[in-house]
Amino acid sequence: MPLSGIDIFKKLPKTNCQDCGVPTCMAFAMKLAAGQAELSACPHIDDAVRDELDAASAPPIRCVTIGTGDDALKVGGETVMFRHEKTFVNPPGLGVLVTDAMADDEIDGKLQRLKTIVYERVGMHLKADLAALKDTSGDASSFSALVERVKQAGITNMILMSDDAAVMAEGLKAAPGLRPLIYAASADNLQAMADLAKEHECPLAVRADGLDDLAELTKQLADMKINDIVLDSGTRELQQAFEDQMNIRRAALKANCRELGYPTIVFPCEMTDDVTQEALLAATFIPKYAGIIIMSDLNGANLFPLTVQRMNI
C-alpha cells in the first residue's frame, strides 16, 4: 500500500533545507506521495530509511529514465488507471527504428528527421524522443558502428536492441555514460543481460510470451536488485497487444502487482507494413497505455498528430 504524504514526512530529516528544490520537507513529502518528485532529490535521508521509502513511496508503475541530462526520457511513474484522469507526469516516448542492415543514406535520413522535425505549439516543442538501434546482422562490430554513428549525429537517447549479449556488450561500449535502454532480456539470456545492465547502470527491457512469464522474469530481476525495467509482452498483433497493455495496467494499479508495475514498450513498426495503419496503431497505444512507442520512420504526417494527441491528454 503506498504511503501517504504524512507517513513519508515522518521519515524525512525535517530540515527544510530546500536542497531538493522544494520549499519544505512537508511539500516534498506530498510531491513524493503524488508521484511528482523522486526520492533521490533529497541528499540527507539515511540509507536504511531511503530503502524503506523507496519501496513504499514508489508509484504503482515505476518511473524509468533512459538517457542522461536535461533531454533524458522519463517514462512510467503513473498513478491512475485511465490516462485521461490526470495530465501525464511522464508522456510516452516516441522513437524511430534503425538497423545495422540499412544503407547509410537511409540511416542518416531517419536520424535527421528525428532531430529536426519539431513543432512549436502553445509554447511547447513537440518532437520525437529517441532512436531504437536494432542488431539484425549478429555482427558486434556492425552494431557498435551503428551506435557510434547515432552518437555522432548528436542523438543520445537510445534503445539498443539485440538478443546476443556479446553483441550488446560491444554496443554498450560505444555508448559510455549515455544510459541507453537494453532490449531485451528473455528467459534465454536473462542472467547475461542482467549482468550488462548492472555493469553499465542501464535500464533493461524484458520480453516474454505472455504476462505470467513476464512477471516471473521481472521477479527474478528484482531479486538481482535490478529495478529499472521496461516490459514487452511479446505480441505483435493489435488485439492481443491492446489486451496486454490493459491487463498490465490493471494488475499494477488495481491489484498492486509489483512484478508488472513497470512502463511498457510497443512496436507498431513490427505490427504492419502500412505506414497509415502504423500511425493508427501508435495513436491507439498513446492513451492505452504504452510507455515507449517505436515507429518505422518519422514524418510530419505521423509525428505531428501523435505529439498533439500526447500533449492533449
Side-chain angles (χ1 to χ4, degrees):
M1 187 75 171
L3 294 179
S4 68
I6 295 297
D7 292 332
I8 295 172
F9 172 71
K10 291 176 181 177
K11 299 178 182 296
L12 293 179
K14 305 180 186 67
T15 59
N16 296 332
C17 65
Q18 302 183 29
D19 288 348
C20 63
V22 180
T24 67
C25 288
M26 175 61 81
F28 180 62
M30 293 302 175
K31 283 184 171 290
L32 279 175
Q36 298 172 348
E38 296 183 18
L39 190 61
S40 59
C42 177
H44 305 298
I45 299 176
D46 177 82
D47 287 343
V49 174
R50 185 181 300 278
D51 290 342
E52 180 184 356
L53 284 179
D54 197 32
S57 65
I61 298 176
R62 184 178 176 86
C63 178
V64 175
T65 301
I66 301 167
T68 59
D70 294 338
D71 291 330
L73 174 66
K74 292 184 177 183
V75 294
E78 299 182 65
T79 59
V80 294
M81 180 63 201
F82 301 106
R83 282 182 163 171
H84 61 262
E85 293 181 47
K86 180 180 180 182
T87 300
F88 280 131
V89 175
N90 297 308
L94 295 169
V96 63
L97 181 72
V98 295
T99 78
D100 58 0
M102 291 177 178
D104 289 348
D105 58 348
E106 184 178 5
I107 294 173
D108 291 341
K110 289 190 176 189
L111 298 180
Q112 180 70 8
R113 288 186 287 278
L114 172 60
K115 287 184 62 179
T116 60
I117 301 180
V118 181
Y119 301 97
E120 186 172 352
R121 186 177 176 90
V122 294
M124 301 177 65
H125 291 90
L126 310 182
K127 60 185 181 65
D129 306 284
L130 76 173
L133 319 183
K134 187 173 184 179
D135 159 43
T136 57
S137 67
D139 182 77
S141 60
S142 294
F143 188 58
S144 177
L146 176 63
V147 176
E148 185 66 34
R149 188 185 195 94
V150 173
K151 186 174 65 174
Q152 291 299 320
I155 296 167
T156 56
N157 289 350
M158 305 181 198
I159 303 172
L160 305 189
M161 302 177 63
S162 178
D163 293 330
D164 188 327
V167 173
M168 182 64 71
E170 291 303 309
L172 288 166
K173 288 179 184 177
L178 295 184
R179 207 170 187 272
L181 173 66
I182 297 173
Y183 179 97
S186 65
D188 296 328
N189 64 11
L190 189 71
Q191 186 63 59
M193 290 297 189
D195 290 342
L196 288 173
K198 287 194 283 189
E199 178 185 352
H200 295 274
E201 299 182 351
C202 292
L204 179 63
V206 184
R207 183 184 66 243
D209 294 326
L211 302 192
D212 289 341
D213 290 344
L214 198 60
E216 177 58 33
L217 293 179
T218 63
K219 183 178 184 301
Q220 293 180 46
L221 289 174
D223 291 341
M224 299 178 202
K225 307 301 182 184
I226 294 176
N227 297 308
D228 287 340
I229 297 171
V230 174
L231 306 178
D232 179 4
S233 66
T235 185
R236 298 296 184 263
E237 189 274 323
L238 174 60
Q239 180 176 340
Q240 188 59 55
F242 184 82
E243 290 179 3
D244 287 347
Q245 294 297 312
M246 294 284 290
N247 289 331
I248 289 170
R249 185 84 166 192
R250 187 175 292 111
L253 280 104
K254 298 296 186 181
N256 196 30
C257 176
R258 286 292 186 182
E259 290 81 7
L260 294 176
Y262 304 96
T264 61
I265 185 170
V266 295
F267 293 87
C269 59
E270 296 181 351
M271 295 181 179
T272 179
D273 294 326
D274 184 291
V275 294
T276 301
Q277 182 72 12
E278 182 183 315
L280 292 172
L281 292 172
T284 300
F285 290 118
I286 285 178
K288 305 228 181 246
Y289 289 103
I292 304 170
I293 300 164
I294 304 301
M295 309 291 290
S296 63
D297 205 349
L298 300 172
N299 54 61
N302 64 17
L303 186 57
F304 181 71
L306 291 175
T307 53
V308 170
Q309 179 193 22
R310 179 176 68 175
M311 178 190 71
N312 285 340
I313 293 179

